[in-house]
Amino acid sequence: SVCNTPHLYNLTARMRPSVSSATVGREGIYATDESNLTWWQPEDGDEDPKITINLSGEFKISSARVYFREIGLDYDNGVRPQPVPYVLKVFGKGQWITVVDNTSPQKEMMIDFRQFETVECTAVSLELPRGKDLPYAVGVVDLSVFGKHITDI
């Protein structure tokens, strides 16, 4: 298993991301602060919500975990969790490459861990496409990308 192995590190922990927008009090740093009590939340009118993290060098990554926050759930009135569409991209060799395309999710996953082929990159980006309208707002409690420095053996 890749998760929690001693040779892979959370490369996005406490990194300062850039975001397409943020609701007041829900800035991008809250997606990487390692707290389950905070989250990044894009503004309601953001048509292309995105969080991008420039890593501090070139890394080999092979897995990621996205922890979503669903704001406005109301079980009594039928507003229940639904699958959240997203795309995870990495920037390597001068271009953005999709490593996880979850634009048509079939299963609701508040915490989604994905493994993928090892890729070298210097940045990661999480996009929340608006193709599927959810009856509530979506935030990101944590975006963790796991890997190691390119020079590590």
Side-chain angles (χ1 to χ4, degrees), residues 28-53:
I29 190 67
Y30 294 127
T32 60
D33 68 351
E34 299 185 286
S35 171
N36 292 330
L37 303 175
T38 61
W39 64 90
W40 164 63
Q41 183 176 341
E43 293 177 341
D44 288 339
D46 190 341
E47 293 297 319
D48 187 24
K50 183 183 342 183
I51 182 168
T52 303
I53 303 168

Side-chain angles (χ1 to χ4, degrees), residues 31-90:
T32 60
D33 68 351
E34 299 185 286
S35 171
N36 292 330
L37 303 175
T38 61
W39 64 90
W40 164 63
Q41 183 176 341
E43 293 177 341
D44 288 339
D46 190 341
E47 293 297 319
D48 187 24
K50 183 183 342 183
I51 182 168
T52 303
I53 303 168
N54 288 316
L55 304 173
S56 58
E58 192 170 5
F59 293 86
K60 293 179 182 179
I61 65 168
S62 57
S63 57
R65 180 185 62 220
V66 184
Y67 179 177
F68 294 106
R69 168 82 171 157
E70 298 153 317
I71 302 107
L73 294 178
D74 184 352
Y75 286 84
D76 291 339
N77 290 308
V79 181
R80 299 173 188 269
Q82 296 182 20
V84 176
Y86 72 91
V87 176
L88 182 69
K89 295 182 179 182
V90 299

Side-chain angles (χ1 to χ4, degrees), residues 6 8 30 55 67 87 91 108 113 118 122 131 137 150:
L8 295 179
Y30 294 127
L55 304 173
Y67 179 177
V87 176
F91 188 78
E108 195 277 327
F113 177 79
T118 300
T122 58
I150 195 85

Side-chain angles (χ1 to χ4, degrees), residues 20-23 26 40-44 46 49 128 130 138-140:
S20 55
S21 70
T23 301
R26 300 288 175 216
W40 164 63
Q41 183 176 341
E43 293 177 341
D44 288 339
D46 190 341
L128 302 173
R130 295 292 191 187
V138 174
V140 176

Side-chain angles (χ1 to χ4, degrees), residues 118-135:
T118 300
V119 61
E120 296 176 9
C121 67
T122 58
V124 296
S125 180
L126 177 72
E127 301 173 4
L128 302 173
R130 295 292 191 187
K132 179 179 179 190
D133 291 321
L134 296 171

